[in-house]
Amino acid sequence: MAQPAGAPAGQQPYSNGPVQNQLMHSPEGQGYSPAVPGSYSHQMPAKVPPHQSSGQYSYSGSQNVSQLNNFQGPGQTLNRPPVAAFSGSPVQQPGPVPQVLPPALQNSAAVSCAGSFPPGASPAVLSSWQFSQTPGSQLPGAQTSHLAPVPGAGPAQPPSSLPGSTNPAGSYQYAASPGAPPLQNSYMKPGSAPPPVTQPLTPLHPPRPPLGPPPVGGPPRPPAAVAGPPGAQSMLQSTVNQEGDARSAASDGSVVQNSYDAIEGGGLMATPHHSPAAPNLKMNRSVGYSYPALPPGYQHASPPGAPGRNAAALQYPDGSKHFQQPALGTNHLTASMAGLSLQQEGLRPVNLLQERNILPTTLLKAPVPNLHEDIQKLNCNPELFRCTLTNIPQTQALLNKAKLPLGLLLHPFKDLSQLPVVTSSIIVRCRSCRTYINPFVSFLDQRRWKCNLCYRVNDVPEEFLYNPVTRVYGEPHKRPEVQNATIEFMAPSEYMLRPPQPPVYLFVFDVSHNAIETGYLNTVCQTLLDNLDSLPGNTRTKIGFITFDSTIHFYSLQEGLSQPQMLIVSDIEDVFIPMPENLLVNLNENKELIQDLLKTLPQMFTKSLETQSALGPALQAAFKLMSPTGGRITVFQTQLPSLGMGALKSREEPNQRATAKDIHLTPSTDFYKKLALDCSGQQVAVDLFLLSGQYSDLASLGCISRYSAGSVYYYQSYHHKHNPVQVEKLQKELKRYLTRKIGFEAVMRIRCTKGLSIHTFHGNFFVRSTDLLSLPNVNPDAGYAVQMSVEESLTDMQVVSFQSALLYTSSKGERRIRVHTMCLPVVTTLSEVYLGADVQAITGLLANMAVDRSVSATLSDARDALVNAVIDSLAAYRSSVLSVQQPGLTAPFSLRLFPLYILALLKQKAFQTGTNTRLDERIFTMCQVKNQPLVYLMLMTHPSLYRVDTLTDEGALNINDRTIPQPPLLQLSVEKLSRDGAYLMDAGSVMFMWIGKNCGQGFISQVLGVPNYGSIPQNMTHLPELETAESIRTRTFISWLREQRPFFPILYIIKDESPLKSSFLQNMIEDRTESALSYYEFLLHIQQQVNK
């Protein structure tokens, strides 16, 4: 083994500006203090899963192994423990240091909170694919296979935590006395904060002169009704659970928060603070900004039935004017809800067997919630946050009756062209449930706001009264936080467990003979070289490289070396890290050495005859190297791992691909899941690039990314010579992967209005502490889904709200919080529930549930359950909503595409039957279902078909001086194709252009650049760049479609005799295939079942 040169003495770890909290730093300022959570694995207590079962590891994540029984995987059904009212007196503290609860209270029942069970009650357990927590309310004779994870019948989990307000005391020091320095509270302007990673965050308002301080003589605070006990404002209750205290003591005996659960605060079990200073007025639960009993001239803003308030309380002695607020109270809401009866189109019965042309000619948009226009214009963009039902049923019984799933689909870190960013000394949150202030809270008056999730009345902090955008004092409802449903906060130091980590990127390459043969290393190293300067980061960015075959090779990139030094570790049973200080190096300071290594790597192993692959030990080594800081591991693998830990054997039998019982969708080992959970605890995510022509057991390998919040990329039969079109795909997708925005050490929590509860999560993450999603990395191309139920009747509510909060570290080292809030109306009738159904979101959620069902049960079970989802909802509509029974198969207009989309899912590679789907290909499609935002999932499921030989500029889009044609969408059936036309099918990750035999000569010569149909090459994958109007139109349209997504679809140009024609026809959803019904046959089957 080569001997490394001596390590530089006293290497300085990264630092992060001035010390903001001495408890978070070691006295010397070197690295992390051992008393604080530099290592998360043992200090991040998690809840015990409610259902214990042994041995198997599945995509549903509801199983566990010995030593891991405190972990919950994604897709697990979570039962909320019963909670009882808190009878003890509040713990009073004189100062800001959080105190441990008395032993007598540590395991007592949690304080009753939003959406909790009554004392002694236990949640019902899901028994089948019912979309509810209360099975048994099926229609008589309805099908019994429904979508839900197969549960183990475990006892209700005992109450285990007492989270409370977790902002450190003293962070709300609001009052600014006359003559005091101005409050530091500014809305971000250009130049006031470091630029974002990928694209500039466009400010909401044009630049203006620097903002002045708030007026010194502002309106005085009205006297509090009841004074709280001393120190009540600084009372801190921390998370204490059965696995131990969620904090660690520093050497001086003080207590340090070390749980992300405590930092983000207030999950499903948040402790309400019963502070006498803010009595919760009994009011109608309305939305918007409304003030009870305002002075003359403002009465119209008061919601009906609001209690009176002495007008004199709002008269300010200094003559400050009252501010008028938009009247978004219950009176307006009720009027708009009454308009539901006028919206007949959404409920118009559609006879699906007679109306064949139901596919819209443009892409389907999300339904608009039926809210007052002033509220709706503030609502969250459906591309970021959407619900399967835009009219929320008032009770679980009503939801059960509709036979539709209730859930949310999120794209929380999506690239945005406009994102308001707030840099403020205060982040206003509800003191009870920790909801961030948002457009749907109610201001009772200038000094108090009511939370729209738990209805607690909170004080408006003094600083929040000043609006830095308008430079006006006394208008809190006009601040950007209350005007934008999507907003990003620059987080202060109390939102950090440790100094923000630097961006650290580690690349792990398979260099076995098989890998070198594919030629992938040339492409990857060249793409890395081209994009080194575009990696998200700053002066602290670190990078490292590991290669492996039957041994593991490290590369010392120490300053002073003339060339990189290779260090070989052949003991793969007990992997160690040689000279760890020189293996991850600063990118900017060592760029030349890094470039030298990337140029020489592809040639270093060309003579290698080593066929073995020790992927498991290589990942263990990568984990050890990354543990101190966290970051991203990118691993490239080309075959089945064959040596050391994590070695796998082939389980695919091509002749048995079709039999649903024998296909291996579950992992064959728990090694990769265990390692992923270790990675997650140390803030490390693993992204897997699988480039393989042979079976590689993606069901097992994929766990390394699934549970560490990574991504999976799969290039089937990758070869630089035999399959050159894959080279371009890898180049384009790797460039996007390397340069896209990234968030490190992230956590995400989703909150919802009291009465609603979240019980299952879908996506790539690890569920930490019941409802906190651990995301060591978060990327803008990842989607998530959650299932919900109506836990308590929403009788006195007209709207409900949902909020997701993503706390992350940007690549520039800033701690940020991205918040999305959505508001939806509550309805009381079945017809209104159907009226607000979002058919795409329903299909996306069902697809996620079906992946879990395929793994926990069988593929045929999942297929049956998808079909039953259509049958049950249409049967319920027919029996309960239709007043006149009509012949045929009738669906409400809002669900007219439901059978078509479900048929499309059944024909998708994840769920189709037949022997032509490779097992790894099926698993990869399932990975995409679980991790793709809805818009891409729908395109993969139901492709878009356009005729492109007749493109015109009529109705075209004009973007950046480009004219982009907008041809109408066509139904996916061969009967829509004409032999004298050319058609483009966009299936998301692949595109086909089918040229008819009699296609016009003009199109063939002016777009394809060949003289006639016979001259079209067999394997054509690019359109020539011709200067004809037809060519420019066609290429512009295809480029525009490609720009809409983060992956690169290959374009295959096919003729009747092309071998790829079968793939093109496979996507013709409405036509019959060898193993699946046509759309019309499927409708007849559904009708037969509905009419039983």
Side-chain angles (χ1 to χ4, degrees):
M1 184 170 83
Q3 292 301 314
Q11 186 182 22
Q12 179 76 18
Y14 64 88
S15 62
N16 188 44
V19 173
Q20 295 171 339
N21 182 347
Q22 290 294 348
L23 292 179
M24 295 297 179
H25 296 259
S26 59
E28 302 83 11
Q30 297 277 342
Y32 305 130
S33 160
V36 298
S39 162
Y40 296 94
S41 55
H42 304 297
Q43 298 168 330
M44 280 278 198
K47 302 284 186 292
V48 180
H51 306 310
Q52 305 279 351
S53 60
S54 63
Q56 299 172 356
Y57 275 81
S58 71
Y59 276 87
S60 72
S62 54
Q63 290 84 6
N64 40 64
V65 279
S66 57
Q67 309 303 319
L68 284 178
N69 56 0
N70 60 334
F71 289 119
Q72 291 172 338
Q76 177 171 342
T77 301
L78 301 165
N79 287 333
R80 304 258 305 267
V83 288
F86 183 57
S87 56
S89 58
V91 181
Q92 295 189 13
Q93 310 173 174
V97 178
Q99 302 294 319
V100 181
L101 288 174
L105 295 179
Q106 283 191 2
N107 285 326
S108 66
V111 175
S112 179
C113 67
S116 62
F117 294 107
S122 65
V125 179
L126 281 159
S127 68
S128 64
W129 248 28
Q130 185 81 323
F131 315 112
S132 66
Q133 298 283 53
T134 51
S137 52
Q138 297 191 138
L139 290 174
Q143 300 291 321
T144 54
S145 181
H146 301 279
L147 280 169
V150 177
Q157 187 179 347
S160 58
S161 64
L162 278 172
S165 169
T166 50
N167 263 21
S171 62
Y172 284 173
Q173 305 296 326
Y174 308 134
S177 56
L183 296 166
Q184 297 302 310
N185 192 5
S186 62
Y187 186 58
M188 183 171 140
K189 289 288 174 288
S192 67
V197 181
T198 318
Q199 74 276 348
L201 301 176
T202 312
L204 232 59
H205 301 273
R208 55 164 66 85
L211 304 174
V216 176
R221 189 186 281 269
V226 183
Q233 289 294 338
S234 64
M235 186 172 77
L236 257 177
Q237 295 182 348
S238 74
T239 304
V240 180
N241 65 25
Q242 291 178 325
E243 282 81 44
D245 190 9
R247 299 162 302 175
S248 61
S251 55
D252 60 356
S254 57
V255 181
V256 182
Q257 290 285 353
N258 73 353
S259 154
Y260 274 117
D261 201 18
I263 284 183
E264 211 286 325
L268 293 174
M269 308 265 295
T271 306
H273 285 242
H274 298 290
S275 166
N280 198 341
L281 300 179
K282 188 71 180 168
M283 286 185 61
N284 279 354
R285 288 163 174 171
S286 59
V287 70
Y289 322 116
S290 48
Y291 291 71
L294 289 167
Y298 297 95
Q299 269 97 350
H300 67 277
S302 174
R309 175 174 164 82
N310 185 1
L314 292 173
Q315 303 292 339
Y316 300 125
D318 63 351
S320 300
K321 292 183 180 177
H322 301 295
F323 52 96
Q324 182 156 1
Q325 58 290 328
L328 304 187
T330 41
N331 45 359
H332 282 68
L333 200 64
T334 313
S336 76
M337 298 299 279
L340 278 169
S341 58
L342 304 174
Q343 298 184 12
Q344 290 305 316
E345 177 65 3
L347 274 177
R348 177 173 68 81
V350 178
N351 188 331
L352 297 176
L353 289 167
Q354 288 178 359
E355 296 190 38
R356 297 303 307 280
N357 297 315
I358 55 168
L359 190 74
T361 56
T362 56
L363 288 172
L364 196 63
K365 289 188 168 60
V368 179
N370 189 50
L371 292 164
H372 186 280
E373 59 182 313
D374 289 332
I375 302 177
Q376 181 51 35
K377 73 182 180 188
L378 296 170
N379 225 342
C380 195
N381 182 338
E383 290 179 11
L384 305 172
F385 209 167
R386 69 199 270 190
C387 185
T388 55
L389 305 175
T390 59
N391 288 333
I392 303 294
Q394 190 181 69
T395 63
Q396 182 68 40
L398 185 60
L399 176 60
N400 292 346
K401 208 171 175 186
K403 301 290 182 188
L404 292 171
L406 177 59
L408 303 171
L409 290 101
L410 296 87
H411 190 177
F413 204 53
K414 178 179 163 63
D415 287 324
L416 300 172
S417 57
Q418 281 199 313
L419 175 66
V421 178
V422 175
T423 51
S424 170
S425 57
I426 184 167
I427 296 176
V428 178
R429 300 176 68 179
C430 173
R431 289 180 56 220
S432 177
C433 68
R434 309 301 294 146
T435 294
Y436 294 80
I437 199 166
N438 60 79
F440 311 110
V441 304
S442 308
F443 282 87
L444 306 185
D445 56 41
Q446 198 184 22
R447 296 284 185 173
R448 295 177 307 156
W449 64 278
K450 180 185 266 196
C451 175
N452 52 321
L453 268 63
C454 73
Y455 306 113
R456 182 198 168 93
V457 175
N458 295 272
D459 291 335
V460 175
E462 190 79 32
E463 293 173 49
F464 204 75
L465 292 173
Y466 177 67
N467 186 347
V469 179
T470 60
R471 302 169 75 185
V472 172
Y473 191 91
E475 295 187 347
H477 65 285
K478 290 188 179 176
R479 278 184 62 109
E481 298 95 320
V482 193
Q483 291 294 322
N484 295 281
T486 291
I487 196 158
E488 188 147 284
F489 298 98
M490 304 292 282
S493 57
E494 58 259 34
Y495 286 83
M496 303 174 193
L497 287 177
R498 61 177 188 175
Q501 70 170 69
V504 184
Y505 304 112
L506 178 61
F507 295 89
V508 182
F509 298 124
D510 175 1
V511 291
S512 62
H513 177 75
N514 185 63
I516 298 304
E517 180 65 22
T518 67
Y520 91 90
L521 209 50
N522 293 288
T523 306
V524 171
C525 289
Q526 188 56 52
T527 308
L528 250 172
L529 271 171
D530 295 344
N531 293 286
L532 264 185
D533 293 332
S534 304
L535 285 177
N538 52 18
T539 53
R540 302 190 303 153
T541 304
K542 291 185 170 187
I543 194 168
F545 300 89
I546 291 176
T547 56
F548 68 95
D549 40 32
S550 61
T551 58
I552 302 168
H553 325 127
F554 299 87
Y555 297 87
S556 172
L557 300 165
Q558 179 187 344
E559 257 186 296
L561 288 177
S562 58
Q563 62 185 47
Q565 192 174 17
M566 181 174 168
L567 309 163
I568 300 174
V569 173
S570 54
D571 183 3
I572 59 172
E573 295 304 320
D574 185 16
V575 179
F576 67 95
I577 307 295
M579 33 184 300
E581 63 277 3
N582 298 324
L583 302 179
L584 282 173
V585 297
N586 186 288
L587 173 59
N588 297 313
E589 295 168 7
N590 300 274
K591 191 170 285 180
E592 287 185 14
L593 271 180
I594 292 164
Q595 288 171 331
D596 286 350
L597 178 61
L598 287 171
K599 286 171 187 168
T600 56
L601 257 184
Q603 280 72 50
M604 285 171 64
F605 300 94
T606 47
K607 305 257 174 74
S608 169
L609 298 175
E610 184 57 72
T611 57
Q612 302 283 358
S613 168
L615 173 66
L619 286 172
Q620 288 177 319
F623 167 64
K624 287 184 179 178
L625 193 54
M626 295 288 278
S627 288
T629 53
R632 183 178 76 192
I633 296 173
T634 308
V635 59
F636 293 82
Q637 174 72 2
T638 64
Q639 62 181 10
L640 202 64
S642 56
L643 277 185
M645 296 292 287
L648 301 170
K649 292 186 170 62
S650 180
R651 297 188 291 166
E652 183 180 53
E653 297 175 33
N655 298 331
Q656 296 192 355
R657 282 180 190 158
T659 55
K661 285 183 183 172
D662 294 337
I663 60 174
H664 299 284
L665 301 176
T666 54
S668 60
T669 172
D670 60 8
F671 170 80
Y672 294 99
K673 179 178 179 179
K674 277 184 171 180
L675 185 56
L677 295 177
D678 289 340
C679 287
S680 178
Q682 300 298 95
Q683 304 300 342
V684 175
V686 184
D687 294 323
L688 173 66
F689 283 75
L690 184 60
L691 312 101
S692 175
Q694 301 300 318
Y695 172 70
S696 299
D697 198 354
L698 188 55
S700 300
L701 296 184
C703 292
I704 191 69
S705 299
R706 177 170 166 71
Y707 294 101
S708 69
S711 311
V712 175
Y713 294 79
Y714 177 52
Y715 301 86
Q716 187 178 326
S717 307
Y718 182 93
H719 197 281
H720 68 296
K721 286 181 181 164
H722 306 324
N723 201 352
V725 72
Q726 291 268 25
V727 176
E728 183 187 12
K729 183 175 174 65
L730 176 61
Q731 275 174 336
K732 293 279 200 322
E733 293 182 352
L734 186 58
K735 180 180 179 181
R736 162 72 184 170
Y737 169 82
L738 293 171
T739 59
R740 71 187 179 187
K741 195 171 59 201
I742 185 171
F744 296 100
E745 48 188 349
V747 288
M748 182 168 72
R749 175 169 269 135
I750 302 162
R751 297 178 169 89
C752 49
T753 294
K754 179 181 178 180
L756 295 168
S757 72
I758 296 168
H759 60 81
T760 307
F761 299 90
H762 301 276
N764 286 4
F765 48 73
F766 166 57
V767 183
R768 199 184 289 290
S769 74
T770 309
D771 64 337
L772 191 73
L773 306 187
S774 173
L775 303 166
N777 291 179
V778 61
N779 72 72
D781 304 330
Y784 307 89
V786 298
Q787 289 167 241
M788 307 180 67
S789 58
V790 184
E791 199 173 67
E792 297 173 9
S793 174
L794 309 173
T795 34
D796 51 351
M797 304 176 203
Q798 288 170 319
V799 293
V800 289
S801 297
F802 309 88
Q803 186 177 84
S804 74
L806 176 71
L807 173 66
Y808 72 96
T809 298
S810 77
S811 58
K812 303 293 183 195
E814 301 158 341
R815 202 73 175 134
R816 292 180 168 225
I817 309 162
R818 186 170 299 188
V819 178
H820 305 289
T821 314
M822 174 173 64
C823 179
L824 294 175
V826 175
V827 297
T828 57
T829 67
L830 200 55
S831 59
E832 291 170 315
V833 175
Y834 285 118
L835 180 68
D838 182 339
V839 69
Q840 288 186 316
I842 289 169
T843 306
L845 185 61
L846 288 174
N848 275 280
M849 294 162 72
V851 169
D852 284 358
R853 187 59 176 271
S854 300
V855 175
S856 62
T858 64
L859 188 62
S860 57
D861 272 11
R863 290 173 55 86
D864 290 347
L866 285 170
V867 176
N868 290 336
V870 179
I871 294 167
D872 290 350
S873 57
L874 295 189
Y877 172 75
R878 182 174 185 268
S879 63
S880 304
V881 177
L882 281 185
S883 50
V884 178
Q885 294 299 325
Q886 301 173 356
L889 178 62
T890 311
F893 186 77
S894 59
L895 291 178
R896 68 196 184 284
L897 298 173
F898 194 23
L900 179 62
Y901 285 160
I902 293 298
L903 178 65
L905 267 184
L906 295 172
K907 294 187 175 186
Q908 204 208 34
K909 282 178 181 168
F911 305 111
Q912 70 185 19
T913 55
T915 55
N916 59 351
T917 305
R918 287 185 171 187
L919 186 48
D920 280 343
E921 203 177 357
R922 185 187 297 277
I923 297 287
F924 175 61
T925 314
M926 288 182 169
C927 291
Q928 287 181 301
V929 168
K930 297 282 279 189
N931 195 38
Q932 288 275 26
L934 181 64
V935 60
Y936 311 135
L937 174 58
M938 288 309 300
L939 200 51
M940 284 168 40
T941 302
H942 187 276
S944 298
L945 182 66
Y946 309 93
R947 182 164 183 169
V948 289
D949 63 316
T950 54
L951 291 179
T952 66
D953 290 342
E954 189 181 336
L957 292 176
N958 287 299
I959 301 175
N960 299 335
D961 300 328
R962 286 193 307 167
T963 303
I964 299 156
Q966 296 293 295
L969 285 169
L970 303 174
Q971 286 173 248
L972 292 172
S973 172
V974 173
E975 67 184 48
K976 297 296 176 187
L977 301 181
S978 163
R979 288 201 175 276
D980 54 9
Y983 296 84
L984 179 73
M985 177 185 284
D986 177 6
S989 53
V990 65
M991 290 180 175
F992 300 99
M993 184 182 286
W994 180 78
I995 313 296
K997 256 195 177 133
N998 305 326
C999 184
Q1001 190 60 38
F1003 182 84
I1004 290 175
S1005 60
Q1006 294 178 10
V1007 175
L1008 303 181
V1010 293
N1012 53 48
Y1013 180 83
S1015 309
I1016 300 173
Q1018 190 75 274
N1019 53 354
M1020 187 173 181
T1021 56
H1022 290 85
L1023 293 178
E1025 295 190 14
L1026 307 175
E1027 290 305 312
T1028 63
E1030 290 83 354
S1031 172
I1032 291 170
R1033 266 196 211 106
T1034 310
R1035 285 184 292 112
T1036 303
F1037 180 55
I1038 291 172
S1039 299
W1040 176 74
L1041 289 174
R1042 280 175 165 163
E1043 288 161 13
Q1044 306 298 304
R1045 64 204 68 163
F1047 39 84
F1048 183 78
I1050 299 168
L1051 172 68
Y1052 294 102
I1053 293 144
I1054 56 175
K1055 306 187 289 184
D1056 267 352
E1057 54 272 25
S1058 296
L1060 279 168
K1061 188 184 176 188
S1062 60
S1063 300
F1064 174 70
L1065 295 177
Q1066 184 75 35
N1067 282 313
M1068 288 294 185
I1069 303 300
E1070 300 194 21
D1071 295 336
R1072 186 184 185 122
T1073 62
E1074 58 176 33
S1075 59
L1077 301 175
S1078 70
Y1079 176 54
Y1080 190 75
E1081 290 168 330
F1082 184 65
L1083 289 178
L1084 289 174
H1085 171 69
I1086 298 291
Q1087 181 196 21
Q1088 182 186 3
Q1089 298 298 316
V1090 166
N1091 291 342
K1092 268 186 179 178

